[in-house]
Amino acid sequence: MGRIDLQVADHIATITLDNPAKRNAVDAPMRDGLRAAYERVEQDDDIRVAVIRGAGDKAFSSGGDIDGYHKVDAFGPEGGGVPPIPRPWPIWKPFIAAITGYAVGGGFALALACDLRVVGRGAVIGPSGLRRGAVQGAQQSQRLSRLIGTSKALELLLLSKYVSGEEAASFGLAQAVVDDAAVLDTALDWARTIAGYSPWAVQRTKQLVYEGQHLPLAEAFAWEDEVAAEGYRSADALAGFRAFTEGRATS
């Protein structure tokens, strides 16, 4: 049985998928633990950004616990289906995936649901649904096509293709590829940078990017102008611009 470990320090929540014996496959207790962790991140004002990682260096997550699914008769005509790994959506605080080793199947879906992805050079990343005779769900087709474009998404999905960390970074699936040993430190460095900014401004920036994609361009521009104007009137903006004019650090 695995577990979810949540640690909070310096406004950063580090969520660890801890089931290394099964490449951090997510079992039923871990699904409950992830939901509780997301709720804590969303509701705790002291938390400004979250990092998700896998325990050990072999895997971010290999997906759901297949053995557990068999035990509850999830498959077949009378099966109850496979519950997806909980994802942090829609929480407007940023999530960063720190990926070493395998991030496949449901683990790949979880990585896609994060806003930023730091991957190790030795990472193995990709969808596995068609390899198992199943549709690659859990939002993978929709997120992947929006992230890397229709053509590349279809290549990964229809071939059920795994790629290396280097290749994932080459077509925008990951924002950074680093040595495996540096993945968590890089993700935490990014988290510290984000945590130093205005929480309100960070969350509205994320919201504008995601929700603005579904608006006509003129409406999206008008909404962004409205949110930006509200931000300029905030105490955080006043402090930030005052620090700039006085030559002090702004965060």
Side-chain angles (χ1 to χ4, degrees):
M1 183 180 295
R3 70 187 188 97
I4 299 298
D5 180 68
L6 172 64
Q7 301 291 327
V8 179
D10 301 323
H11 305 299
I12 300 166
T14 302
I15 301 170
T16 302
L17 310 174
D18 190 356
N19 193 7
K22 291 190 173 183
R23 289 181 174 172
N24 297 319
V26 177
D27 57 24
M30 291 174 72
R31 286 199 300 274
D32 293 339
L34 274 174
R35 292 188 189 96
Y38 298 153
E39 184 176 354
R40 168 81 184 277
V41 170
E42 184 172 30
Q43 296 181 0
D44 188 340
D45 290 338
D46 186 54
I47 297 173
R48 300 182 180 182
V49 59
V51 173
I52 303 181
R53 63 183 292 266
D57 58 3
K58 302 299 184 184
F60 172 75
S61 174
S62 58
D65 179 14
I66 303 299
D67 292 337
Y69 296 154
H70 275 294
K71 291 176 182 177
V72 296
D73 295 322
F75 306 114
E78 305 301 323
V82 175
I85 296 173
R87 296 170 300 280
W89 176 259
I91 298 173
W92 297 122
K93 296 177 182 179
F95 280 74
I96 303 171
I99 302 169
T100 55
Y102 285 88
V104 297
F108 180 60
L110 177 58
L112 288 178
C114 293
D115 307 296
L116 300 173
R117 283 159 293 280
V118 178
V119 301
R121 300 186 198 282
V124 178
I125 307 165
S128 63
L130 293 185
R131 295 176 182 229
R132 313 287 180 252
V135 173
Q136 294 163 134
Q139 304 173 357
Q140 289 179 71
S141 63
Q142 303 309 304
R143 289 187 180 278
L144 196 59
S145 60
R146 286 165 170 77
L147 181 64
I148 63 174
T150 300
S151 179
K152 195 66 180 179
L154 285 170
E155 177 188 339
L156 265 64
L157 292 165
L158 293 179
L159 295 176
S160 201
K161 184 177 181 179
Y162 294 171
V163 299
S164 67
E166 293 275 10
E167 189 175 355
S170 73
F171 54 79
L173 182 55
Q175 285 85 2
V177 56
V178 299
D179 291 340
D180 289 359
V183 168
L184 181 59
D185 286 343
T186 302
L188 290 172
D189 282 345
W190 286 11
R192 281 188 284 270
T193 296
I194 294 169
Y197 299 144
S198 159
W200 183 90
V202 166
Q203 292 176 48
R204 293 293 79 72
T205 297
K206 176 177 173 177
Q207 186 178 21
L208 281 168
V209 169
Y210 284 114
E211 296 198 339
Q213 296 176 35
H214 307 293
L215 296 174
L217 193 57
E219 291 183 24
F221 285 160
W223 181 38
E224 182 176 293
D225 288 344
E226 178 183 331
V227 173
E230 184 180 357
Y232 287 137
R233 295 191 294 269
S234 71
D236 287 343
L238 176 62
F241 283 110
R242 179 176 291 158
F244 177 81
T245 60
E246 295 174 357
R248 296 182 287 106
T250 57
S251 62

